[in-house]
């Protein structure tokens, strides 16, 4: 470009006659004779005004020569008056404009001119109140419009001036040089400065690096961290940057806008400058890290391999600080002017592969923010999912789409990064496989931001979005906890609408492989932080969806309806830390105490969104009903396991209420340490109950210390507040106020009490557990309303909750029971009208309440008549049963009413008539509750109806083969009638008053039950009972056996042979039958209502094909073992803890009489699975010696069961029964020794002996016979090797299959057998009629015991095997063949309660008003386990390391669990050898694939909350868990 500067011309006198500039007054002066300032200002103003009106004309340029020379005179340029400088600058820019393109100045003159303009005029623009501001604006406008600023490029060494131009312009706009008045600049200043600087950048040959730095620095003005230093500095100097103080908000700073304008106007020029700028920082830092990196060692660092990058020295802290600033600039530059980064993005992509982890981390974070359109100011505030807000979020709420008013944090991407830089984006996506968890965590955060911002508002295709969501799902299950917690926080950054529309698109929380289901899995993560965040987030998502769930939105119900189930199911881990977290989440998130918290209409939350205000809802909303609706919505959508947890949490309150009452009374007796009376006893009593509470909390030692502190504080007000929270007569508001005040007192205690930081963390979980929050009296009216109206389809749940309330906390119904009874009275049925479907639930609740508070029930005639109508016409028949219970509990004329009901039910009874099922149910309850009020005529009529008219009649004869046997999900009328008839017979002997005549009365009934079980439900002489009837009747007979045995007098009538037949029901071919019996068995055993021998039955599940049933039973067995261990710790009696160990002898007895027993080597190895199953679940290093001793003792006895059966057809002979017992004793000893070697345990000799039940084992006749039996080895030679191979194969299979091993029950029988054969494991053959062939019999001969090398005395011989073990660790104990009688069979069970009773007596002696704390743990366990032993599963899953319940299989036999193909010829397992008419068709002990599938498909859900009197009503539907 040619120079536009003209050389100085010679002086030419101005001709006044020439056209052009008319100004002709001198502007310069001689030294010593200056022009007055006023005069000088007048002349300059005159000159400036004249030149402003002139246009550029070539022929008049000579007229400006003199003025131009005078204007650059030092006297004017350096004049001390600001006005003179301002007017001189105006004239100079006009000269440059009129003389363009050739300036009439030399280089030095131009340098002086621009130096004055840049250093004096431009900074003055920062003060709009300046008297010469208009002149300053004129100068700026001329420089920008005429582009005379470009003359700077013709000045030698102009870099300083160029830098000053950029520096001063940005300072003016940023306000750093503004006057104290703080007047705002006009928009023209920003526009003209921007145009001037764009011209400089675009047309100047070079731009100094300092100028580029200045432009780049403007983009940091949106970064609060970068500006915080300068802000604090300005404040320190007394100058407040007002523009920076408002950056957060509504507009971008002018300096930022000018830099953005420059970059967008000349992107190509700026791209080169920026590329060089970032290259100097990024590449140099990367190079420095490589140069400083030491040589890598080839040695591996084990678990630390992922963090091997940390071994690199990397950039220094200063370098990292600069790098972070630079990467923040990149974020903002992409958001403002992406065109300038076209050469920088490849450099950033290369940084993704840097060796140093810190560089890769910065690059990964930067890429995520760039794609998301997030600038240096960061993300906007995350959305708040408030679980207490009412109304909750609605998808139709437009406020969900409200855009944040904060421009700095609003994500924005001018270009779609994915399409603009596809290669870089692909490289970024590859970071999900980075070896460092820090990188993967940062990458997870990045893709979360991309999803929430939709790539900064740019185009994000459906395919790209689905890919990122899939990656997020994988990151939630990453192996490293840093990645998982980052993924959980990413999900928390989504608002409710995005959770539904984006994350929920792949499926809901119940569908495997989705984001929501994987998030739900994190609620059981092994890291507490992840568990906590995931559980709280899940609860908040569900809380935000309550509005849509209430409105019946099916999509939302599918997506998030299962969240409460996932949260409550974490209870099964039995981890105290998880339990405390669950309580906090349940009462602070799922059912928050402050709900409903009504938001004011139009109120805003932190991120600019508003909750759905719901017009006028505040005026009509009933808080109690709204809260109740939320409770019912939660309970309605729970799965069966979670429902057990929910209802048991409410039942737990009553147990803890008693314990807390005892604790408060002991605190009062302790009196802050000033004890009056027996101080040691008071302290001991308080110590015991404190330890009980501490054992339920995450940190027992800290909890114990905190509870002691609370006791020493002796705050009586706090005691009263806790009682308010627990009291049934406290309404919800009273309870919440008491809880808030208590929380405040322990968080900020009065001055008289010492504060404790951990007191709140210890006491609040206990307060949550003891308070009546859900079953509060304020909720009862709303629950009753929902049960009547079925509003929002909540009637069924409301009925279920009323039943639970009536059975657990009937006290809260007191205020509403009259209304309750009147509703029942109004809905009473008749012969022409049936009652409402929910009446049975209400009747059950009323019966439960009446049993506890009979005086509170209505007693007027109309109500009693209504109950009588239910008894005669109620539907379903259970309604009649509960109506009778209400009449019996509340009526004052019981005898008369009983006779009337019996007369009405028996007179004219006919099968199929109206209400005949209700009459049968009424009769069953009458014979139970009022046997003395029924005369002989009525009793005979009832028995005749039950047996002749119902049980022995087959009104729908089966056309299928006689051995047909199957389960049906539906129950026909005939089956119901027979079930009620059986209950009549059972209830009659349950209520029989005379123990002496009981055996005679009960014998026919016991015989009937035995026949039903033994003949697979067949009762008809014609053998034409429908198959679906037989399965129901067999299950009912088995469960009625259990119910009878809850009474000691009735249990004595169950013979060992009948017990053995009963035990085989758990191996029934139909899964619902097995599940139904085990469910009832576990319930009774949990409540300690059955004798010890019933613990034997669950161990027959060694071949159970149903994976869930098997694992649940394993969990239950181990939990019972834990309970017995805790009893041992609290008791001085050794017998209190050997219940399961002493059961081993009974197990061997049952197996010896098992229909499948065979003394062949293969069958014995197969039977070893029962023993292994027992050892896996019971044996420990401490009790293995005892179990081994019991196995030895069995061989020292004879079988006593066969003695009573020897005369029956098909019965096992006494000699054969003894041989079976000795075979199994030797098998058990071999298996135990191999099990011992596998676990590296040691069997110790016992100092005493265990006596075996005399009903099962008898004395050996002589010492010589006993010695002969002890010296003989009854096992075939190959059995020991087979057992050893079996155990080794199980270990290998357990190691190889891992956690995700599939259940063998999911495959066909042929596939199972082939798999077992391939693994070298024995295949369980089918059970059909035994056919002993010659070869088989020959191979079954008992091998002789090899003679020992040295003879020893009989008492020194090891009776467990023929050869001595090498170490001699097992020593012989003193022998005794004397057995105890049958009265001692239950001694161990009785000892279990001895310790608790002794402790209770001691506690009563100390404080008769307090509750027993010594058995608090056990009582709690019993209460919680009442609902299908779910608390037992806590213990087991806790022992398994908090794994999923399905992982409990890892401790079990990995080999296939099914027994034989159906084609085998062995006898049906569940059929007694004495059965006269066994089914001809062979059915395997375990379910075939066909049967298992059918049972699973047909199973239904049933109610689990039942009283003792309705234990078997659920037979009218499928047993729980039959799926």
């Amino acid at each position: 470009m040619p120079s536009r500067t003209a050389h100085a011309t010679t002086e030419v006198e101005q001709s006044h006659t020439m056209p052009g500039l008319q100004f002709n007054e001198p502007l310069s002066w001689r030294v010593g004779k200056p022009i007055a300032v006023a005069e000088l200002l007048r002349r300059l103003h005159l000159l400036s005004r004249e030149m402003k009106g002139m246009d550029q004309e070539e022929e008049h340029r000579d007229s400006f020569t003199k003025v131009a020379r005078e204007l650059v005179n030092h006297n004017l340029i350096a004049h001390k008056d600001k006005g003179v400088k301002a007017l001189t600058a105006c004239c100079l820019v006009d000269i440059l404009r009129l003389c363009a393109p050739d300036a009439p100045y030399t280089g030095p003159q131009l340098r002086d001119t621009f130096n004055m303009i840049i250093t004096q005029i431009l900074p003055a623009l920062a003060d709009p109140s300046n008297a010469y501001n208009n002149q300053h604006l004129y100068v700026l406008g001329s420089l920008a419009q005429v582009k005379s600023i470009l003359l700077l490029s013709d000045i030698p060494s102009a870099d300083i001036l160029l830098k000053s131009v950029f520096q001063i312009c940005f300072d003016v706009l940023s306000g750093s040089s503004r006057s104290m008045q703080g007047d705002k600049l006009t928009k023209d200043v920003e526009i003209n400065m921007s145009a001037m600087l764009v011209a400089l950048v675009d047309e100047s040959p070079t731009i100094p690096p300092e100028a580029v730095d200045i432009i780049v620095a403007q983009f940091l003005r949106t970064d609060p961290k970068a500006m915080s230093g300068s802000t604090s500095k300005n404040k320190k100097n007394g100058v407040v940057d007002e523009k920076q103080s408002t950056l957060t908000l509504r507009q971008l700073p002018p300096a930022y806008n000018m830099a953005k304008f420059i970059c967008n106007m000349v992107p190509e020029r700026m791209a080169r400058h920026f590329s060089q700028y970032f290259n100097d920082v990024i590449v140099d830092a990367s190079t420095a890290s490589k140069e400083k990196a030491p040589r890598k060692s080839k040695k591996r660092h084990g678990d630390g391999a992922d963090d091997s990058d940390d071994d690199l020295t990397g950039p220094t802290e200063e370098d990292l600080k600069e790098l972070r600033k630079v990467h923040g600039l990149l974020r903002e530059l992409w958001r403002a002017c992406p065109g300038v980064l076209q050469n920088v993005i490849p450099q950033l992509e290369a940084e993704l592969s840097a060796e140093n982890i810190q560089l890769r981390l910065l690059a990964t974070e930067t890429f995520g923010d760039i794609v998301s359109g997030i600038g240096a100011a960061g993300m906007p505030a995350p959305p708040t999912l408030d679980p207490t807000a009412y109304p909750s979020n609605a998808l139709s709420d437009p406020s969900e789409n409200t855009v944040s008013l904060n421009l700095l944090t609003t994500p924005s991407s001018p270009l779609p990064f994915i399409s603009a830089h596809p290669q870089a984006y692909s490289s970024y996506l590859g970071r999900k496989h980075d070896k460092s968890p820090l990188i993967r965590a940062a990458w997870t955060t990045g893709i979360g931001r991309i999803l929430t911002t939709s790539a900064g508002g740019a185009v994000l295709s459906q395919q790209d979005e689905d890919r990122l969501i899939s990656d997020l799902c994988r990151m939630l299950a990453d192996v490293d906890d840093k990645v998982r917690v980052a993924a959980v926080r990413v999900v928390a950054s989504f608002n409710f609408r995005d959770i539904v529309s984006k994350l929920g698109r792949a499926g809901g929380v119940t569908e495997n492989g989705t984001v929501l289901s994987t998030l739900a899995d994190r609620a059981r993560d092994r890291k507490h932080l992840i568990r906590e965040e995931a559980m709280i987030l899940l609860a908040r998502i569900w809380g935000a969806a309550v509005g849509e769930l209430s409105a019946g939105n099916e999509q939302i119900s599918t997506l998030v309806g299962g969240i409460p189930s996932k949260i409550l199911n974490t209870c099964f881990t039995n981890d105290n830390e998880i339990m405390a977290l669950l309580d906090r989440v349940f009462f602070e998130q799922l059912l928050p105490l402050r709900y409903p918290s009504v938001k004011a209409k139009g109120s805003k939350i932190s991120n600019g969104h508003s909750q759905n205000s719901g017009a006028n809802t505040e005026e009509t909303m009933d808080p109690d009903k709204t809260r109740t609706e939320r409770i019912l919505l939660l309970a309605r959508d729970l799965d069966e396991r979670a429902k057990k947890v929910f209802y048991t949490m409410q039942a737990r309150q009553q147990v803890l209420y008693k314990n807390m009452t005892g604790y408060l009374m002991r605190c009062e007796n302790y009196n802050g340490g000033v004890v009056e009376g027996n101080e040691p006893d008071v302290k001991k009593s308080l110590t015991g109950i404190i330890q009980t509470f501490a054992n339920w909390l995450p940190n027992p030692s800290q909890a114990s210390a905190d509870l002691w502190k609370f006791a020493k504080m002796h705050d009586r007000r706090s005691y009263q507040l806790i009682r308010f929270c627990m009291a049934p007569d406290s309404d919800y508001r009273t309870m919440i106020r008491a809880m808030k005040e208590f929380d405040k007192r322990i968080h900020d205690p009065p001055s008289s009490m010492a504060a404790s930081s951990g007191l709140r963390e210890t006491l609040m979980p206990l307060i949550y557990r003891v308070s009546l929050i859900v079953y509060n009296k304020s909720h009862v009216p709303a629950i009753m309303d929902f049960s009547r109206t079925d509003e929002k389809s909540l009637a069924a749940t409301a009925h279920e909750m009323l039943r639970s309330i009536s059975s657990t906390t009937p006290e809260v119904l007191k205020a509403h029971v009259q209304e309750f009874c009147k509703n029942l009275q109004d809905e009473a049925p008749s012969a022409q009208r049936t009652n409402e479907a929910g009446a049975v639930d209400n009747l059950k609740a009323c019966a439960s309440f009446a049993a506890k508070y009979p005086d509170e029930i209505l007693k007027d005639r109309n109500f009693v008549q209504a109950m009588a109508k239910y008894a005669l016409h109620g539907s379903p028949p259970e309604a009649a049963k509960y109506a009778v219970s209400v009449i019996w509990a509340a009526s004052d004329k019981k005898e008369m009413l009983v006779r009337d009901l019996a007369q009405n039910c028996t007179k004219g009874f006919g099968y199929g008539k109206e209400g005949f099922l209700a009459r049968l149910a009424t009769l069953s309850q009458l014979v139970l509750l009022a046997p003395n009020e029924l005369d002989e005529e009525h009793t005979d009529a009832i028995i005749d109806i039950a047996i002749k008219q119902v049980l022995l009649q087959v009104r729908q004869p089966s056309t299928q083969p006689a051995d047909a046997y199957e389960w049906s999900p539906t129950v026909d009328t005939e089956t119901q009638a027979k079930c009620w008839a059986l209950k009549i017979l059972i209830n009659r002997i349950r209520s029989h008053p005379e123990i002496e005549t009981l055996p005679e009365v009960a014998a026919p009934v016991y015989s009937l039950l035995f026949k039903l079980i033994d003949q697979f439900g067949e009762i008809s002489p014609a053998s034409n009972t429908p198959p679906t009837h037989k399965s129901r009747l067999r299950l009912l007979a088995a469960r009625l056996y259990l119910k009878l045995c809850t009474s000691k007098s009735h249990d004595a009538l169950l013979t060992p042979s009948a017990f053995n037949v009963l035990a085989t029901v758990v191996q029934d071919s139909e899964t619902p039958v097995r599940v139904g019996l085990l469910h009832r068995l576990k319930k009774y055993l949990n409540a300690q209502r059955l004798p010890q021998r019933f613990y034997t039955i669950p161990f027959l599940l060694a071949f159970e094909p149903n994976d869930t049933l098997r694992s649940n039973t394993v969990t239950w067995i181990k939990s019972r073992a834990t309970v017995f261990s805790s009893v041992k710790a609290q008791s001085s009696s050794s017998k209190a803890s050997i219940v399961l160990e002493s059961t081993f002898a009974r197990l061997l007895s049952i197996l010896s009489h098992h229909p499948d027993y065979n003394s062949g080597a293969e069958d014995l190895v197969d039977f070893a699975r029962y023993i292994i199953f027992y050892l896996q679940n019971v044996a420990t290093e401490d009790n293995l010696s005892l179990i081994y001793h019991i196995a030895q003792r069995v061989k020292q006895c004879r079988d006593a069961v066969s003695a009573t059966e020897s005369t029956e057809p098909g019965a096992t002979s006494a000699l054969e029964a003894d041989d079976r017992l000795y075979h199994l004793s030797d098998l058990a000893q071999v298996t135990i020794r191999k099990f011992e070697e596998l676990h590296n345990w040691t069997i110790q000799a016992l100092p005493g002996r265990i006596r075996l039940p005399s009903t099962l084992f008898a004395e050996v006749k002589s010492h010589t016979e006993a010695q002969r039996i002890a010296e003989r080895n009854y096992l075939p030679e190959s059995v020991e090797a087979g057992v050893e191979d079996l155990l080794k194969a199980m270990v290998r299979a357990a190691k190889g299959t891992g956690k995700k091993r599939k259940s063998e029950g999911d495959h066909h029988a042929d596939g199972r057998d082939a798999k077992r054969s391939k693994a070298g494991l024995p295949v369980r053959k089918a059970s059909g009629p035994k056919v002993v062939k010659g070869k088989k019999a020959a191979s079954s001969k008992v091998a002789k015991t090899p003679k020992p090398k040295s003879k020893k005395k009989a008492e020194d011989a090891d009776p467990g095997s023929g050869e001595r073990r090498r170490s001699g660790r097992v020593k012989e104990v003193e022998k005794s063949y004397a057995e105890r009688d049958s009265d001692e069979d239950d001694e161990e069970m009785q000892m279990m309660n001895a310790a608790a009773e002794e402790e209770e007596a001691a506690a009563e002696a100390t404080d008769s008003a307090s509750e027993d704390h010594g058995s608090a743990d056990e009582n709690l366990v019993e209460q919680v386990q009442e609902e299908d032993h779910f608390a037992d599963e806590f213990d087991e899953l806790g022992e398994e390391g908090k794994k999923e319940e399905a992982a409990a299989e890892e401790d079990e036999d990995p080999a296939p669990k099914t027994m034989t193909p159906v084609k085998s010829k062995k006898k049906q397992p569940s059929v007694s050898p004495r059965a006269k008419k066994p089914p001809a068709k062979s059915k395997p002990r375990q379910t075939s694939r066909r049967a298992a599938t059918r049972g699973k498909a047909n199973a239904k859900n049933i109610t689990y909350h039942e009283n003792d009197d309705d234990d078997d009503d659920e037979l009218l539907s499928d047993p729980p868990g039959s799926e």
Side-chain angles (χ1 to χ4, degrees), residues 351 596 702 809 968 1127:
E351 199 176 16
Q702 181 61 41
T809 54
S968 173
V1127 172

Side-chain angles (χ1 to χ4, degrees), residues 310-355:
D310 295 338
D311 295 338
L312 301 177
T313 302
T316 63
E317 189 61 33
E318 283 298 321
D319 293 337
L320 282 176
K321 185 177 180 181
E322 288 301 317
L323 281 171
R324 293 189 186 99
K325 184 184 297 185
V326 167
H327 285 78
L329 280 172
L330 290 177
R331 294 176 172 90
E332 193 60 38
L333 284 171
W334 178 266
R335 188 168 174 268
C337 44
V340 303
L341 297 180
Q342 55 186 340
N343 298 328
V344 180
I345 296 299
Q347 299 177 22
L348 189 61
E349 179 185 356
E351 199 176 16
L352 286 172
S353 303
E355 290 286 337

Side-chain angles (χ1 to χ4, degrees), residues 1093-1222:
R1093 60 173 170 170
F1094 284 90
Y1095 277 100
T1096 312
I1097 297 178
F1099 295 108
L1100 295 182
L1101 267 68
F1103 293 92
E1104 172 58 47
N1106 186 293
D1107 219 27
T1108 302
L1109 178 58
R1110 179 184 170 96
S1111 63
N1112 286 347
T1113 303
V1114 167
T1115 298
W1116 179 84
I1117 293 172
K1118 292 186 176 181
S1119 68
R1120 297 309 297 167
T1122 303
V1123 171
F1124 295 140
S1125 298
S1126 65
V1127 172
K1128 178 181 179 180
Q1130 298 177 11
S1131 172
S1132 59
S1133 173
S1134 60
K1135 293 184 178 181
S1137 63
I1138 62 170
V1139 175
L1140 295 181
E1141 290 84 348
S1142 59
T1143 301
F1144 188 57
R1146 296 183 179 273
L1147 176 62
L1148 295 181
S1149 177
I1150 288 182
L1151 294 179
S1152 69
H1153 293 275
H1154 197 282
D1156 283 351
Y1157 178 82
N1158 190 292
S1159 59
E1162 181 181 353
D1163 290 279
L1164 286 174
V1165 172
D1166 216 10
F1167 262 61
R1169 292 180 180 274
Y1170 290 109
I1171 301 173
I1172 294 173
F1173 182 73
Y1174 172 89
L1175 294 175
Q1176 286 177 327
N1177 297 298
V1178 176
T1180 64
E1181 188 173 8
D1182 295 331
N1183 67 7
L1184 188 65
S1185 300
L1186 175 60
I1187 298 172
Y1188 185 80
H1189 173 67
I1190 293 173
Q1192 290 178 322
R1193 288 282 294 119
V1194 168
K1195 198 172 181 181
Q1196 299 168 6
C1197 303
R1198 297 179 57 212
D1199 182 74
V1201 179
S1202 58
T1204 61
E1205 302 176 352
S1206 58
T1207 60
E1208 299 181 10
T1212 305
S1213 66
L1215 181 59
E1216 182 183 354
D1218 292 343
D1219 283 347
R1220 289 184 174 189
L1221 205 58
Y1222 303 150

